[in-house]
PDB file of all heavy atoms in Angstrom:
ATOM      1  N   LEU N  18     -11.012  17.000  -0.966  1.00  0.00           N
ATOM      2  CA  LEU N  18     -10.766  16.690   0.461  1.00  0.00           C
ATOM      3  C   LEU N  18     -10.523  17.988   1.204  1.00  0.00           C
ATOM      4  O   LEU N  18      -9.375  18.509   1.253  1.00  0.00           O
ATOM      5  CB  LEU N  18      -9.589  15.731   0.622  1.00  0.00           C
ATOM      6  CG  LEU N  18      -9.225  15.315   2.036  1.00  0.00           C
ATOM      7  CD1 LEU N  18     -10.413  14.699   2.766  1.00  0.00           C
ATOM      8  CD2 LEU N  18      -8.044  14.365   2.059  1.00  0.00           C
ATOM      9  N   THR N 301      -6.484 -15.817  -4.439  1.00  0.00           N
ATOM     10  CA  THR N 301      -6.570 -14.400  -4.894  1.00  0.00           C
ATOM     11  C   THR N 301      -7.748 -13.702  -4.289  1.00  0.00           C
ATOM     12  O   THR N 301      -8.743 -14.308  -3.919  1.00  0.00           O
ATOM     13  CB  THR N 301      -6.673 -14.327  -6.427  1.00  0.00           C
ATOM     14  OG1 THR N 301      -7.783 -15.040  -6.866  1.00  0.00           O
ATOM     15  CG2 THR N 301      -5.391 -14.867  -7.078  1.00  0.00           C
ATOM     16  N   ALA N 343      11.482  -4.748   2.597  1.00  0.00           N
ATOM     17  CA  ALA N 343      12.821  -4.555   2.158  1.00  0.00           C
ATOM     18  C   ALA N 343      13.846  -5.295   3.024  1.00  0.00           C
ATOM     19  O   ALA N 343      14.793  -5.919   2.520  1.00  0.00           O
ATOM     20  CB  ALA N 343      13.173  -3.072   2.099  1.00  0.00           C
ATOM     21  N   ASP N 378     -17.138   8.722 -15.009  1.00  0.00           N
ATOM     22  CA  ASP N 378     -18.077   7.807 -14.401  1.00  0.00           C
ATOM     23  C   ASP N 378     -17.505   6.393 -14.469  1.00  0.00           C
ATOM     24  O   ASP N 378     -17.420   5.787 -15.528  1.00  0.00           O
ATOM     25  CB  ASP N 378     -19.429   7.859 -15.116  1.00  0.00           C
ATOM     26  CG  ASP N 378     -20.466   6.925 -14.529  1.00  0.00           C
ATOM     27  OD1 ASP N 378     -20.171   6.303 -13.492  1.00  0.00           O
ATOM     28  OD2 ASP N 378     -21.539   6.791 -15.121  1.00  0.00           O
TER      29      ASP N 378
END
Side-chain angles (χ1 to χ4, degrees):
L18 180 57
T301 58
D378 180 6

